[in-house]
Each structure stands twice: as C-alpha cells, then as structure tokens.
Amino acid sequence: MTFPQVLGLHHVTAIASNAQRNYDFYTQILGLRLVKKTVNFDDPFTYHFYYGNYYAAPGTILTFFPWTHISKGRRGVGMATEVGLSVPEGSLGFWKNRLQQAGVIVNSPATKFGEEYLTALDPDGLKLELTVAKNVARDTRLPFETSEIDATKAICGFHHTTLTLSNIQPTAEVLTDILGYRLTEQDVNRYRFVTDTVTEAAIIDLVEAPGEASGVVAGGSVHHIAFRVQDDAAEMALREKIVAKGFHVTPPIDRMYFHSLYFREPGGVLFEIATDVPGFTIDEPLESLGTTLKLPPQYEPRRTQIEAALPRLIV
Ligand code: ZN
C-alpha cells in the first residue's frame, strides 16, 4: 500500500558558477560523493551535478546547475536561504579548522533550538549550516567517507532548509495542510516545522523578515527544494491535495531518477515533489555512480555535441 505522505526533503537544487570549483568544494572539501553527473534536462549544455551519500539516498542529495557566466544572487525574502547539513556530534571543531584552512568563509559555532551549528559559505556564497542534530543517535544515514573525512566527521545528509519570507502564514499552511509538517518550536522570527514521517531531513525553518528585500535567485542561491514521496501513487494523491488548495502545479515530469511535480508556494519559493523511485542506480551501478556523464534518452543522440560544449571537469 502506498504511503501517501511527504517523507521530508528529497533534494535541494542550487545554482553555481564555475563547475570545477563547485565539484572541488563539494567532493574534496566537504567530502560528499558525486552520485550523478548529468545535464540540466531543460538546458542540456549545462551540467547537473548531484552530490549525496554513498547510497545516493533521498534526503542527502544536494544538486547544482553550474552556469559559468551567472551573476551572483542575493539572499532575501521569497527564497530558501540556508541549507542545513547534518554532521556528527563533536565534529564542528574539525570542520571549522578544515574549512578555514581551505580558505572558506566560516563563522564560529552558534546554537539555535538547542542545536550547535557552523555557518559556512560555498565558493558561490551559498549559505550552509553544518548542524549537530539534538538527538544525534537518530541520524542513521551512512555517510560517504574519504581519506580525510571518516564517519565520525562526515556529512550525513540534510538536517534542515530555511525559507525566508515576508509573511510566513501562507507558506506555513502549505507545510501543515498539504505537506504534513507541524510547528514544533519558535524563536523570535524563526519557526521550526517538522514532519514525523521520517527522523532525518525532516525540518523546514521559516524565517519571517517583513522588512527585508526580495532575494535574487542566481549564483550561490537555492533554485528549488524538493520534498520526498515514496512513489507515483503517493505523488498523484499529493497532487490532488495541491490542486484542491488552488495552486497551479505541473503534471508529473520524468526526471530519469525520480518523477517530479512543481508548484510555487505563496511565499515565492519553488517547491518540487519527487519520488524515491526509480532512483540513481537506474542507469549506472552503485559502485560507479557519478563517474561518467549520463544523458537522458532524448539527449543521447546529441552526446558528442553536448560533451564538446560542457566545461572539462578534472576529477
Ligand atoms: Zn529538483
């Protein structure tokens, strides 16, 4: 039987500029695994990089469109402004040193909702928050390990994502009435919403900032966030709920590794619903994920042309 509910975050997609710099930062400095090297299905002369844990599990997948000549975006209202990544207890000192040594802009550890976190900016200015979950025993996701980052330090996947909004109410209603989240905590203008369907990648923070300027989605900002559902039946059940609430939502779109719906929530952030199936091993084995350029069938006849146009990536 289908479980017709949202299972936390599936992936977060952001915009980068230089592909090589993005690849080096996320694989070498943060130690994530490149789990899929493909192209933007709507713009096949641009890469689409997917980083995640070894298993490329939904809830660990941070993806990028590297557009070489993109201008720099600006954080502000109507966008996802923070990407929270879960790290093990006791690892923040390691991360602070590591990031500083790599020349990354990083703050001293701080605390919100009783959880310690470290803010760092990726090379394009995307705001990352390496966060130690309150109940550390809960993060059961197996991280990807590298020669420099073992499982006592490695990033496990998403902890939260933050949306900054001029008025949280309409977005909060989407989270609670459609997506099954509930408000659990509030601190000044930050409201924490959690889904009980999963124990990881289960948190969305809404920050209400009525005086703040609108954000500009470009380099270093989040393009959209995707919520996870089990399968197509769950996705279509959810689609009916979204339509019933009066939102314009796309039909299901085949993204090769998952099936997606998109709608813009009333606060301005692009939301996607993405299925667990078929998953990232549909076109290459688990052991060699991300090692060759994968194209969807519609672009395979143009492979030579596409490969020639993409920036060369040294791995
Ligand atoms: Zn997406």
Side-chain angles (χ1 to χ4, degrees):
M1 200 186 99
T2 287
F3 188 67
Q5 280 170 287
V6 164
L7 307 169
L9 287 167
H10 184 285
H11 66 268
V12 172
T13 294
I15 302 170
S17 52
N18 185 283
Q20 184 73 53
R21 194 174 62 166
N22 178 265
Y23 173 84
D24 290 346
F25 180 78
Y26 283 97
T27 61
Q28 292 169 18
I29 298 176
L30 290 193
L32 300 180
R33 185 181 190 199
L34 180 70
V35 295
K36 194 64 66 181
K37 180 166 58 171
T38 183
V39 295
N40 182 331
F41 288 9
D42 301 317
D43 176 14
F45 295 98
T46 298
Y47 278 122
H48 193 180
F49 294 155
Y50 289 74
Y51 304 103
N53 73 349
Y54 180 76
Y55 295 101
T60 74
I61 306 293
L62 179 58
T63 98
F64 289 89
F65 301 133
W67 275 304
T68 308
H69 300 295
I70 191 84
S71 59
K72 198 166 162 49
R74 189 182 65 215
R75 273 188 294 280
V77 301
M79 70 197 300
T81 48
E82 295 161 351
V83 178
L85 300 169
S86 172
V87 294
E89 190 173 21
S91 68
L92 290 184
F94 164 85
W95 281 111
K96 184 157 196 274
N97 284 339
R98 181 175 179 79
L99 293 167
Q100 274 177 335
Q101 278 170 16
V104 175
I105 295 170
V106 55
N107 287 348
S108 290
T111 301
K112 62 184 167 207
F113 298 127
E115 296 180 320
E116 211 181 2
Y117 70 99
L118 191 63
T119 300
L121 299 183
D122 92 348
D124 288 295
L126 181 67
K127 192 175 177 186
L128 305 172
E129 293 184 336
L130 275 57
T131 306
V132 177
K134 263 182 213 165
N135 183 355
V136 287
R138 291 196 320 179
D139 206 322
T140 57
R141 296 172 291 185
L142 277 182
F144 185 55
E145 294 182 81
T146 71
S147 59
E148 296 177 0
I149 307 168
D150 67 23
T152 66
K153 316 276 193 317
I155 292 167
C156 297
F158 293 119
H159 176 272
H160 67 276
T161 298
T162 303
L163 314 184
T164 299
L165 304 158
S166 56
N167 169 14
I168 70 152
Q169 200 51 43
T171 304
E173 282 170 20
V174 170
L175 290 179
T176 56
D177 298 358
I178 301 176
L179 304 177
Y181 285 70
R182 64 188 175 85
L183 177 65
T184 58
E185 289 174 277
Q186 182 196 346
D187 182 20
V188 194
N189 65 336
R190 180 179 290 266
Y191 300 76
R192 175 152 289 191
F193 291 78
V194 176
T195 175
D196 297 320
T197 57
V198 285
T199 52
E200 292 132 5
I203 298 169
I204 303 287
D205 280 354
L206 301 186
V207 168
E208 192 162 69
E212 207 172 299
S214 290
V216 176
V217 175
S221 47
V222 172
H223 185 269
H224 63 266
I225 66 170
F227 295 91
R228 179 185 159 207
V229 290
Q230 193 178 56
D231 56 19
D232 295 327
E235 182 159 277
M236 292 315 284
L238 195 56
R239 188 176 189 281
E240 281 181 27
K241 273 173 126 176
I242 298 166
V243 169
K245 292 283 182 185
F247 293 103
H248 293 286
V249 54
T250 68
I253 298 170
D254 185 357
R255 294 305 190 189
M256 190 82 188
Y257 312 107
F258 42 85
H259 304 147
S260 296
L261 306 172
Y262 300 85
F263 70 106
R264 200 168 289 280
E265 59 81 28
V269 183
L270 185 60
F271 278 8
E272 176 181 347
I273 310 295
T275 56
D276 279 1
V277 289
F280 292 91
T281 54
I282 189 174
D283 61 354
E284 56 187 340
L286 183 64
E287 312 80 69
S288 56
L289 286 180
T291 54
T292 56
L293 181 72
K294 306 308 288 187
L295 297 177
Q298 67 268 34
Y299 296 136
E300 201 54 67
R302 293 159 73 192
R303 175 175 282 273
T304 307
Q305 193 191 353
I306 288 170
E307 284 185 343
L310 289 170
R312 206 163 70 87
L313 191 68
I314 300 160
V315 298

